[in-house]
Amino acid sequence: AAALGALRNAPALRVLVLKLWHNPIGASRAHELVALRRATVLHTLGLNLTNTALDDDGAWALAALKDAPALHTLTLQLRSNRLGPRGAEALASLRHARALHTLHLDVAHNLLGPAGARALAALKDSPALRTLGLDLCATGVGDSGAQALAALKEAPALHTLRLLLRRNRVESKGARALVELKETPKLQALTLDLRCNPLYFSQLRPLADLKHLGLVITPSWCDSDPFYMQHMGLLV
């Protein structure tokens, strides 16, 4: 990791993608890796750190990427890393990245819980963020977590949102709260994945109010009938 962090010294490096999944990176080596934040012209960074034993301390190490002076596009794949609410809070601090306009966070299969969802909702305070992807599949955010994520409607520059919430016990209150995303001032495109949640078709009907955003919505139960969803007035 220290050797990879030394890539910061490449004088013309603007785009970097590192695929390091299933390696024992851990929090200590994550600290070495984020030396990349000192790369003065690096504007696009992708890190696949799936199942690398990061835990919350590792997430706080990665949060230092907010200090990268030119970084405007960041993808972090952090599945299966024992992240909790404190780790989500760390990742939400990326809202302070000055130039960041595109952020994709894959934190699926971590135990974030409702508190983690509330923490990530703070990304709404990023002044420049235009595109946001959050993969929260199987993170235990629950109904209250889905309600908290509706606060993303306050993001001032956000025009594209991809929110994946499979297997999270999202119920009717959470689904109704997500309808509030239509109030996002500049939102043009929205993807919601609510598969494998205890929602019935009648509870999904309010989401039809989001159709003007080009909403792509997947059925709630894993074996739901797309034809029936279309009949209910929802896009599939």
Side-chain angles (χ1 to χ4, degrees):
L4 292 172
L7 289 170
R8 68 186 183 277
N9 298 320
L13 185 65
R14 288 173 168 78
V15 178
L16 177 62
V17 176
L18 296 175
K19 299 181 179 181
L20 305 172
W21 64 84
H22 304 299
N23 282 292
I25 302 294
S28 60
R29 292 187 177 91
H31 280 282
E32 298 171 352
L33 191 59
V34 296
L36 292 166
R37 72 186 184 279
R38 301 192 186 97
T40 57
V41 296
L42 182 67
H43 61 65
T44 300
L45 176 62
L47 297 177
N48 189 332
L49 297 169
T50 296
N51 191 24
T52 53
L54 287 180
D55 68 33
D56 288 342
D57 290 336
W60 275 105
L62 293 172
L65 291 169
K66 69 181 184 295
D67 300 324
L71 190 65
H72 63 60
T73 300
L74 176 62
T75 298
L76 294 177
Q77 294 172 267
L78 306 175
R79 288 181 169 230
S80 305
N81 268 299
R82 302 196 302 272
L83 303 184
R86 197 168 68 87
E89 182 181 350
L91 297 172
S93 71
L94 292 167
R95 67 188 182 276
H96 300 303
R98 291 174 293 177
L100 193 66
H101 62 62
T102 300
L103 176 62
H104 297 284
L105 292 177
D106 180 351
V107 289
H109 301 282
N110 287 291
L111 297 177
L112 303 186
R118 288 192 293 271
L120 289 171
L123 289 167
K124 66 183 176 60
D125 297 325
S126 173
L129 194 62
R130 301 197 298 263
T131 298
L132 175 62
L134 291 177
D135 189 339
L136 299 170
C137 298
T139 53
V141 302
D143 212 34
S144 61
Q147 293 176 68
L149 290 166
L152 291 169
K153 68 184 180 183
E154 300 172 21
L158 190 66
H159 65 60
T160 301
L161 175 62
R162 185 170 182 260
L163 191 55
L164 309 185
L165 293 169
R166 293 193 306 274
R167 300 185 185 278
N168 269 298
R169 302 295 300 175
V170 177
E171 301 184 19
S172 57
K173 289 183 179 179
R176 286 198 301 269
L178 292 171
V179 176
E180 297 174 13
L181 291 170
K182 67 182 179 181
E183 301 170 14
T184 311
K186 297 186 178 181
L187 193 63
Q188 301 172 18
L190 172 65
T191 298
L192 283 177
D193 188 343
L194 292 169
R195 283 177 289 178
C196 305
N197 284 292
L199 288 164
Y200 295 97
F201 295 114
S202 60
Q203 295 168 324
L204 288 170
R205 187 64 181 267
L207 293 175
D209 291 344
L210 300 173
K211 288 171 66 174
H212 69 287
L213 295 171
L215 172 67
V216 176
I217 182 169
T218 52
S220 58
W221 295 106
C222 294
D223 57 354
S224 294
D225 182 356
F227 177 80
Y228 192 76
M229 293 288 287
Q230 290 174 330
H231 180 71
M232 292 294 292
L234 294 169
L235 298 180
V236 179

